């Protein structure tokens, strides 16, 4: 591939091929069945061809198309296995790789942003990218002071391509429904569009990453690489080695899966409390499992990458989340309902049964009801089926609830993280993390001057 395809007409045609291709392959499959081939075999081949085209188109276009694919990949746990199987490898591949940008283009960006003598800033520079993502690719290098670094170079025209893709995907979002059955695609695309300008701004990303790196310096569980240098379209950070979470998902040991899951949950809830920022792109390609945790080289730490999308939460996660979760667990239906009404989750024009709301919420928060919980694809699928089946009471009630704008990104990040935990099949002490980090989850003790204390 010579360069990031930037012509709108070219990108639109490629994206339009996705739903049209699905329809064409369905017709082909029908024809195969007429001539006597097994419906199961035809269906499997049909899904495999769809998955291959999905990766080919989204991976080649990068930009918003690939960002959309990465966002979809964390939700595959919710799909029935016969649907998820053929897509899983193609979607997971989007998390780590895409066709690379030509070397001459990379050098051109570096020369423009770092100066004509940019090579002198590095002792070594690897022209072959180590990773390629939606708006940029990463090269391994050695900084002039001897530090191993990751050099992130933004694709020329990435901003234009990102917006163009998401606009086009939004136009035929209904046709894309078969990619993730039961999922409302349009709000996901709208939320991705809202974050475009932030993700393109490497200055904002550098600030967010450095804030995390400083806060988690010497942390025994989480490692965030420090920022070494930043300029427009180029971000240079410390390099970290480790096992990508996608490899742990496919081939990890039970111990690695559980440790990765625990640390992922810990980072989700501790990050906002410690930095006032929520890492908002929790797909497996942004995490590494590194040796050298609290118990030595045989233990593991979580390496966290890519802070291009964050939610700014100066006071940490909203106390309403912790309070409503605690009251739901305590069975306080009326109090939960009043809180949801006050926060705008229930519109003034709608009246719901508090006990029905409780019945809707309890299965979702099942992982917080017990000391430890094993997240599985089967559990995720049962939750998705419960809230996506138009015949179920949960579906009808869910359609009446409202998600205030300030909670949109928090909601997506939480769901995405749970999706990754289910892909890991991890056993996690989630309640422990909630008690430690989630404001409002542990009730305040008036006798202690208002300090929150964990219940025995």
């Amino acid at each position: 591939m010579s360069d990031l395809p930037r012509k709108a007409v070219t990108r639109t045609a490629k994206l339009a091929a996705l739903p049209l291709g699905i329809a064409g392959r369905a017709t082909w499959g029908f024809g195969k069945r007429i001539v006597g081939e097994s419906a199961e075999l035809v269906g499997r081949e049909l899904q495999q061809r769809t998955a291959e085209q999905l990766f080919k188109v989204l991976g080649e276009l990068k930009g918003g198309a690939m960002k959309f694919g990465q966002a979809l990949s964390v939700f595959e746990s919710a799909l029935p296995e016969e649907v998820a199987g053929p897509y899983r490898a193609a979607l997971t591949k989007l998390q780590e790789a895409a066709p690379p940008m030509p070397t001459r283009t990379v050098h051109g960006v570096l020369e423009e942003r770092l100066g004509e003598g940019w090579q002198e800033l590095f002792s070594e520079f690897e022209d072959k990218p180590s990773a390629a993502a939606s708006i940029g690719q990463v090269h391994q290098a050695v900084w002039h002071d001897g530090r191993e670094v990751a050099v992130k170079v933004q694709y020329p025209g990435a901003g234009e391509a990102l917006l163009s893709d998401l606009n086009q995907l939004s136009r035929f979002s209904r046709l894309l429904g078969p990619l993730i059955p039961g999922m409302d695609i349009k709000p996901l695309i709208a939320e991705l569009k809202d974050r475009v300008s932030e993700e393109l701004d490497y200055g904002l990303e550098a600030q967010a990453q450095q804030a995390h790196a400083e806060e988690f310096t010497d942390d025994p569980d989480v490692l965030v690489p420090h920022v070494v240098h930043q300029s427009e379209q180029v971000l240079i950070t410390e390099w970290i080695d480790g096992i990508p979470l996608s490899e742990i998902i496919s081939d990890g040991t039970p111990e690695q899966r559980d440790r990765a899951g625990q640390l992922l949950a810990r980072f989700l809830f501790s990050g906002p409390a410690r930095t006032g920022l929520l890492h908002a792109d929790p797909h497996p390609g942004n995490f590494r499992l590194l040796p050298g945790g609290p118990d030595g080289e045989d233990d593991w730490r979580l390496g966290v990458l890519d802070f291009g999308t964050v939610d700014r939460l100066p006071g940490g996660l909203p106390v309403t989340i912790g309070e409503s979760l605690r009251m739901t667990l305590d069975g306080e239906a009326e109090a939960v309902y009043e809180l949801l009404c006050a926060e705008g989750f229930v519109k003034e024009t709608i009246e719901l049964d508090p006990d029905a709301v409780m019945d809707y919420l309890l299965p979702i928060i099942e992982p917080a009801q017990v000391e430890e919980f094993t997240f599985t694809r089967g559990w995720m699928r049962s939750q998705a089926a419960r809230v996506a089946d138009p015949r179920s009471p949960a579906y009808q009630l869910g359609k009446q609830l409202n998600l205030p704008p300030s909670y949109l990104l928090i909601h997506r990040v939480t769901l995405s993280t749970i999706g990754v935990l289910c892909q890991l099949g991890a056993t996690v002490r989630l309640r422990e993390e909630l008690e430690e980090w989630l404001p409002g989850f542990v009730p305040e003790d008036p006798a202690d001057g208002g300090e929150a204390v964990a219940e025995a």
Side-chain angles (χ1 to χ4, degrees):
M1 195 182 73
S2 60
D3 203 350
L4 178 69
R6 276 175 281 175
K7 290 184 179 179
V9 65
T10 303
R11 301 183 70 83
T12 301
K14 283 178 175 285
L15 288 170
L18 280 174
L20 291 175
I22 292 168
R25 279 189 297 280
T27 303
W28 166 84
F30 180 68
K32 295 269 278 188
R33 283 195 293 274
I34 286 176
V35 297
E37 291 206 21
S38 157
E40 183 181 351
L41 289 174
V42 171
R44 193 178 304 137
E45 188 175 350
L46 190 67
Q47 290 167 350
Q48 186 60 44
R49 290 188 176 202
T50 300
E52 288 169 359
Q53 188 201 13
L54 174 68
F55 171 70
K56 184 174 186 296
V57 172
L58 298 184
E60 284 183 356
L61 289 177
K62 303 174 185 170
M66 188 172 174
K67 177 60 64 180
F68 172 68
Q70 288 174 336
L72 287 185
S73 71
V74 299
F75 294 110
E76 60 91 352
S77 300
L79 299 178
E81 185 57 33
E82 64 270 18
V83 177
Y87 291 145
R88 188 171 295 140
L91 287 171
T92 299
K93 198 173 180 183
L94 281 169
Q95 296 161 358
E96 289 290 342
M101 183 168 29
T103 299
R104 67 179 183 277
T105 307
V106 174
H107 289 187
V109 173
L110 292 172
E111 182 174 329
E112 182 180 354
R113 300 305 178 189
L114 301 181
E116 289 186 6
W118 67 268
Q119 292 97 332
E120 297 172 12
L121 296 171
F122 302 95
S123 300
E124 298 175 27
F125 185 89
E126 177 58 60
D127 282 331
K128 183 181 179 181
S130 58
S134 53
I135 66 166
Q137 63 188 39
V138 178
H139 295 258
Q140 189 171 4
V142 178
W143 196 237
H144 56 80
D145 62 5
R147 281 182 288 177
E148 283 192 81
V149 293
V151 183
K152 189 152 118 176
V153 182
Q154 193 173 114
Y155 304 126
E160 178 188 341
L162 205 60
L163 278 172
S164 171
D165 289 351
L166 293 172
N167 283 331
Q168 293 301 330
L169 286 165
S170 184
R171 287 192 180 102
F172 35 74
S173 57
R174 286 186 182 178
L175 293 174
L176 292 169
L179 296 177
I180 298 286
M183 181 178 175
D184 196 349
I185 298 292
K186 200 156 192 172
L188 173 63
I189 296 172
E191 198 270 311
L192 292 174
K193 283 171 65 176
D194 288 344
R195 299 283 159 177
V196 166
S197 59
E198 271 191 33
E199 185 147 3
L200 292 167
D201 190 333
Y202 279 1
L204 285 176
E205 179 172 350
Q207 292 172 19
Q209 179 157 341
Q210 190 58 24
H212 279 84
E214 291 172 3
E215 173 59 35
F216 285 93
T217 295
D218 300 324
D219 188 284
D221 297 314
V222 175
L223 174 66
V224 178
H226 283 259
V227 174
V228 175
H229 182 83
Q230 179 270 322
S231 64
E232 191 176 349
Q233 289 186 291
V234 178
L235 176 61
I236 303 171
T237 65
E238 293 174 335
W239 178 270
I240 59 170
D241 281 309
I243 308 171
L245 218 57
S246 54
E247 291 185 20
I248 302 297
I249 288 170
S250 60
D251 300 310
T253 66
E255 292 77 15
Q256 288 174 324
R257 293 171 183 277
D258 291 348
R259 179 66 174 159
Q262 190 71 41
L263 294 180
L264 197 61
R266 183 166 302 164
F267 181 71
L268 168 66
F269 291 106
S270 69
R274 296 173 63 173
T275 67
L277 299 166
L278 173 67
H279 182 288
D281 196 7
H283 71 77
N286 286 338
F287 299 96
R288 301 286 185 271
L289 209 55
L290 307 132
D295 295 332
E297 285 302 306
D298 293 334
D299 200 1
W300 300 94
R301 300 171 76 190
L302 185 72
V304 185
L305 309 172
D306 199 336
F307 290 80
T309 307
V310 299
D311 201 1
R312 285 162 178 79
L313 304 167
L317 289 166
V319 69
T320 302
I321 295 175
E323 289 178 343
S324 59
L325 183 53
R326 167 171 52 85
M327 290 189 296
T328 301
L329 291 172
D330 291 342
E332 300 176 26
E334 293 287 348
V336 171
Y337 184 67
E338 288 176 12
L339 188 59
L340 293 178
C341 288
E343 287 294 312
F345 287 90
V346 181
K347 292 183 177 179
E348 292 181 3
T349 54
I350 292 176
E351 190 170 331
L352 301 173
D353 177 4
D355 290 323
V357 174
M358 186 70 74
D359 291 342
Y360 174 81
L361 293 174
L362 272 172
I364 300 171
I365 62 171
E366 184 183 357
Q369 293 177 287
V370 291
E371 186 175 333
E372 63 178 28
F373 183 82
T374 300
F375 290 86
T376 66
R377 285 187 166 98
W379 176 79
M380 186 77 164
R381 285 196 291 269
S382 70
Q383 291 296 328
R386 189 175 69 91
V387 299
D389 184 352
R391 298 165 296 180
S392 74
Y395 174 86
Q396 300 300 332
L397 192 142
K399 295 291 281 186
Q400 293 177 293
L401 290 173
N402 175 59
L403 190 62
S406 60
Y407 288 89
L408 278 171
L409 195 55
I410 296 171
H411 180 67
R412 182 169 77 82
V413 171
T414 304
L415 283 182
S416 298
T417 303
I418 290 172
V420 177
L421 293 177
C422 291
Q423 290 177 14
L424 283 165
T427 299
V428 176
R429 300 180 306 280
L430 184 65
R431 192 180 182 103
E432 177 183 306
E433 304 302 338
L434 298 175
E435 290 174 348
E436 178 74 20
W437 301 110
L438 184 59
F441 184 72
V442 176
E444 292 184 349
D445 185 352
D448 248 359
E451 289 186 17
V453 292
E455 295 177 340

